[in-house]
Amino acid sequence: MLLGGFFAELKGRNVYKVAITYAVVAWLLIQGASILLPTFNASAWMMKAFVVLLALGFALVASISWAFEATPQGLRRTENVPADAFLPAWSRRKFATFIVSVALLEARLRE
């Protein structure tokens, strides 16, 4: 029961949405870097460092999405935000459309 409450809290704080969006954007950046870095004769360690930085950024972004909420006035601590002050949430359909659009754009760029 305790674990179910934790996952409900993750969903309520939009950590899932932020994590999925970050993962998709990071994947796109890695794909782009894998094309561009060899073009500029970059060392192999640069790609490794880039991937490590993106992984560290994931932990940072997930922590921020847990502790803060987006409001019309900007980011505010979650516990200081009244229930009616949240930004409107994306519907599942809009969010799925965004993810699919980004993936299709990336696939188009790879051609």
Side-chain angles (χ1 to χ4, degrees):
M1 185 68 167
L2 182 63
L3 198 55
F6 175 71
F7 288 117
E9 188 70 20
L10 284 176
K11 184 177 180 182
R13 292 183 183 218
N14 292 322
V15 177
Y16 285 138
K17 289 180 183 177
V18 170
I20 291 170
T21 303
Y22 186 91
V24 169
V25 171
W27 178 73
L28 290 171
L29 290 171
I30 290 169
Q31 295 301 313
S34 69
I35 294 168
L36 291 176
L37 288 177
T39 302
F40 294 108
N41 295 325
S43 300
W45 68 267
M46 290 183 81
M47 184 65 177
K48 292 175 186 175
F50 185 63
V51 171
V52 168
L53 286 174
L54 287 174
L56 293 173
F58 181 82
L60 177 68
V61 167
S63 300
I64 290 171
S65 68
W66 174 267
F68 294 93
E69 194 63 47
T71 67
Q73 295 80 28
L75 287 179
R76 297 179 69 193
R77 299 259 329 147
T78 300
E79 54 269 357
N80 298 337
V81 177
D84 62 345
F86 293 116
L87 287 176
W90 284 14
S91 67
R92 287 182 177 210
R93 185 176 181 175
K94 284 183 183 177
F95 187 67
T97 302
F98 170 74
I99 297 299
V100 169
S101 298
V102 170
L104 290 174
L105 176 66
E106 193 280 330
R108 177 80 174 141
L109 293 174
R110 295 229 31 159
E111 289 181 351

